[in-house]
Amino acid sequence: MRPFEGDRLQRCPQCLVNREDFHRASVKSKGNFAKHCNVCLGTTATGQPVHDQCLLCGKEINTDAAAVSHYKSRHDININQACTASDILRRYHPESFPELDLNQGYGLLLTRQDVLRHEIDPTIRELALRYHNTPALIMHDSRNILQGHRNAFFRFFECHPISLHSHVSDATNPQLLGSLIVHLQHWSSPPEHSPPPPPPMTAPRLAVMAGSYGAGYGSLAYHTVVERMQTVACGPRPFEVDMDPKTIMRQIKKAKNGGCVVFLVEVVRSRDGRAMAPDIWQATVEACKVHGLFLIVDEALTAIRCGAPFAHQLPEYRQHGRPDLVLFGKGVRTCGIAVDWDGVNMKNLAIAQLDEQINVILDWQVRFTEVATVDSLLQSWATIVAAQKQGWPQRAVEIGHALRQVLSSFNVDPASISGLNALIWLRVDKKTLQKMMVMPAGASKGWVRWLPTMDLVMASPDQLMTKMFGQGSASYRRQLGIFLFKHGWMLGVCSICGEAMETGEGSRTPCESCMARPCEFCEPEEHVCYM
């Protein structure tokens, strides 16, 4: 895994200059080739060294020797073969490197950068340091943190988080949603001569679009794509709505009369990546408006990666109307329900003034001892600020285009690709997945997903093809293997099916050439390396 001959490094792993050429180029450098390899981060297109300033404090660095001296005196870091500048860059700025992991904790990570750093938002950074140093005292700032998170969420997503939970599935409880809707109706200021409020809900149900992903427990587990989770389903069975624009009006009326309190839809279907047609969205909004059924969209996976803050805000959907409630989670780093005051039914409640909207939110949240943990709120707040400041929705379009270029190079049939922009589903054969040598995320049977980060490096087709995919990525994969080996880490997802794998003692080790790590179900025999 190391470009050594005997005990001597013969070629710089970063700029790829060999020892002989390095010595020939500069008499002053003679005898310092090893030091160069430890400090080098590669060169620009014009041949200039990339490592011209400290990776930690930004101080200008002119020579290899100056770099070694600076890191030791200023940061107490010894630059050597065991800890190179590349190692420091990977540790403190992992977003600078393409990632073989297109699983990202099943979409949990939208970036690999430290969003709590000063450059993103100094206020959040100060609060994070205070939380780290005096976690008990930070509770005095909890209301301010909650307010900061709420304001940032509204600026970016154009709706307010009202009910926060530990997992997005918790927010699909029919009783919770029924109570929340009653709460919102209680605060409404409808015009005179409006119909009387509905009677109390005694047995609320969910209406869900046919073919949606479901959940791991509760009512939505009845139709989850993961069969073993169906065994724990309980509660009222959801009313399934066939997404046919010709019949959806009639179906929503039946759902409403059958005790359903909301209609839960996915703009991109989680089981196979099928995007909802705009005319179906239009028919859905119209049916929910006519029959007064609250419309809720599950955006836990689709936020940002689809090319807009929320997928339903893409122009082809936005022109037809807005949902009343939004489920969010995963990459946003907090989970829960947001309310859109201009939603198809919410706007009829006429809660139009900001101070009144905030009172509605606070009156609901007073029911919880802790609305959300401080650390999750800070991470979420910083992630949202970074997404807006760095233009992640726009970048998602570029990343999606770059990844589809990669798929074209593997001759993948466009009909086997679904999703929107950087949120990609693939239905390809095992051999193609083996050749790609990246870690996808599992989906329903026959499908895998690519859930990339929104880091800038992922938008470069050249970076993807030379460092992530194909035989051209061999050198980069060797460097990654050395780095992971130094720290005792390994990639924890199968490179074929996308399911999580054990990483402890006795677990299957990755291939030393390609770094792929298929599970024993996908590759029960000896690993086939395509490097």
Side-chain angles (χ1 to χ4, degrees):
M1 294 178 66
R2 297 173 182 272
F4 281 93
E5 286 183 9
D7 293 330
R8 302 184 73 200
L9 191 64
Q10 297 301 313
R11 182 181 294 274
C12 174
Q14 308 300 329
C15 67
L16 302 181
V17 65
N18 63 44
R19 179 184 291 272
E20 184 178 343
D21 290 342
F22 177 83
H23 287 159
R24 187 184 298 121
S26 174
V27 176
K28 293 181 180 179
S29 300
K30 192 169 184 178
N32 290 327
F33 182 66
K35 183 180 292 183
H36 162 80
C37 294
N38 294 335
V39 172
C40 181
L41 290 176
T43 58
T44 65
T46 59
Q48 297 300 310
V50 172
H51 194 185
D52 56 1
Q53 63 180 22
C54 175
L55 298 169
L56 304 180
C57 67
K59 179 180 171 63
E60 183 177 344
I61 294 175
N62 297 317
T63 66
D64 296 343
V68 172
S69 175
H70 171 78
Y71 282 105
K72 175 59 179 174
S73 61
R74 181 69 181 271
H75 304 292
D76 197 25
I77 295 176
N78 290 316
I79 299 288
N80 51 41
Q81 187 176 311
C83 179
T84 66
S86 178
D87 293 339
I88 295 173
L89 183 60
R90 285 184 183 276
R91 179 177 285 273
Y92 292 98
H93 297 281
E95 72 278 7
S96 301
F97 296 85
E99 176 59 80
L100 303 182
D101 180 5
L102 290 176
N103 182 295
Q104 297 300 334
Y106 295 95
L108 186 64
L109 296 180
L110 281 165
T111 182
R112 296 172 66 232
Q113 65 185 294
D114 177 13
V115 293
L116 293 175
R117 69 182 191 272
H118 184 272
E119 292 82 357
I120 299 297
D121 190 290
T123 299
I124 302 175
R125 174 64 175 172
E126 176 60 31
L127 288 168
L129 290 174
R130 197 180 308 171
Y131 173 71
H132 177 76
N133 295 325
T134 56
L137 294 180
I138 196 67
M139 296 305 295
H140 297 294
D141 288 316
S142 59
R143 290 183 66 87
N144 292 333
I145 293 172
L146 194 62
Q147 180 182 1
H149 174 265
R150 180 173 62 241
N151 292 342
F153 195 105
F154 183 78
R155 283 194 299 271
F156 185 62
F157 290 113
E158 299 182 12
C159 52
H160 276 127
I162 185 170
S163 195
L164 301 178
H165 303 274
S166 60
H167 192 275
V168 69
S169 294
D170 299 340
T172 61
N173 182 299
Q175 286 75 28
L176 168 71
L177 290 167
S179 290
L180 178 58
I181 291 171
V182 170
H183 170 78
L184 294 168
Q185 291 171 334
H186 172 77
W187 277 84
S188 66
S189 304
E192 294 184 13
H193 310 300
S194 61
M201 303 175 188
T202 56
R205 297 174 63 197
L206 301 178
V208 298
M209 61 179 276
S212 57
Y213 193 81
Y217 53 86
S219 296
L220 292 180
Y222 282 112
H223 65 280
T224 179
V225 298
V226 185
E227 292 183 2
R228 70 177 184 276
M229 294 182 181
Q230 295 176 3
T231 60
V232 299
C234 65
R237 185 179 289 273
F239 181 99
E240 289 201 16
V241 176
D242 181 22
M243 301 303 285
D244 182 349
K246 296 179 181 179
T247 64
I248 200 167
M249 183 71 73
R250 183 170 66 252
Q251 293 181 78
I252 292 299
K253 179 180 180 180
K254 187 175 180 180
K256 178 72 173 181
N257 294 338
C260 291
V261 293
V262 298
F263 180 30
L264 174 59
V265 301
E266 298 172 340
V267 175
V268 179
R269 202 161 64 179
S270 295
R271 65 173 61 199
D272 57 11
R274 182 179 179 181
M276 184 183 295
D279 65 316
I280 295 178
W281 174 258
Q282 181 181 15
T284 299
V285 171
E286 184 63 24
C288 289
K289 177 181 179 181
V290 169
H291 297 294
L293 185 62
F294 270 58
L295 177 59
I296 181 168
V297 180
D298 185 350
E299 296 272 9
L301 190 62
T302 48
I304 299 175
R305 286 188 176 96
C306 281
F310 285 136
H312 71 267
Q313 294 169 339
L314 288 165
E316 58 264 38
Y317 303 113
R318 188 62 172 266
Q319 62 180 324
H320 299 303
R322 301 163 68 155
D324 301 296
L325 303 171
V326 181
L327 293 179
F328 61 91
K330 289 190 179 287
V332 181
R333 304 313 305 270
T334 48
C335 300
I337 307 168
V339 56
D340 188 330
W341 308 103
D342 290 319
V344 58
N345 291 293
M346 276 302 306
K347 60 186 176 184
N348 295 330
L349 301 185
I351 308 174
Q353 300 301 315
L354 178 60
D355 57 348
E356 188 179 14
Q357 294 168 356
I358 300 303
N359 285 334
V360 172
I361 295 169
L362 296 178
D363 190 47
W364 173 260
Q365 293 179 346
V366 77
R367 293 165 171 78
F368 305 93
T369 303
E370 184 179 49
V371 178
T373 60
V374 169
D375 57 335
S376 68
L377 284 172
L378 289 172
Q379 279 285 344
S380 179
W381 182 3
T383 298
I384 293 167
V385 170
Q388 188 162 29
K389 184 175 289 188
Q390 298 175 3
W392 290 0
Q394 296 80 9
R395 191 179 293 171
V397 178
E398 300 170 14
I399 293 173
H401 180 69
L403 288 172
R404 283 168 172 78
Q405 283 186 247
V406 169
L407 290 169
S408 177
S409 73
F410 282 94
N411 298 316
V412 175
D413 184 354
S416 300
I417 307 170
S418 59
L420 287 173
N421 292 313
L423 188 63
I424 296 175
W425 273 254
L426 299 175
R427 193 180 185 95
V428 295
D429 59 86
K430 176 180 174 180
K431 187 174 182 179
T432 301
L433 291 171
Q434 288 174 313
K435 289 181 177 180
M436 289 177 180
M437 297 179 289
V438 294
M439 299 187 303
S444 60
K445 187 175 182 180
W447 292 89
V448 295
R449 295 169 289 182
W450 282 0
L451 310 173
T453 64
M454 295 297 99
D455 296 323
L456 184 60
V457 69
M458 297 299 294
S460 167
D462 179 65
Q463 288 282 310
L464 297 182
M465 289 305 300
T466 58
K467 294 184 177 179
M468 284 185 67
F469 296 93
Q471 295 183 350
S473 64
S475 176
Y476 177 80
R477 287 171 182 266
R478 283 197 298 271
Q479 296 173 45
L480 175 62
I482 293 170
F483 176 75
L484 295 175
F485 178 78
K486 284 179 182 178
H487 297 281
W489 299 334
M490 67 173 66
L491 303 175
V493 176
C494 174
S495 51
I496 298 175
C497 68
E499 295 299 326
M501 298 170 61
E502 296 294 332
T503 57
E505 184 177 351
S507 59
R508 198 171 195 181
T509 57
C511 172
E512 292 190 359
S513 297
C514 68
M515 292 303 298
R517 187 168 173 256
C519 70
E520 295 178 356
F521 294 99
C522 292
E523 271 194 4
E525 306 298 331
E526 185 176 350
H527 169 61
V528 179
C529 179
Y530 286 90
M531 187 55 66

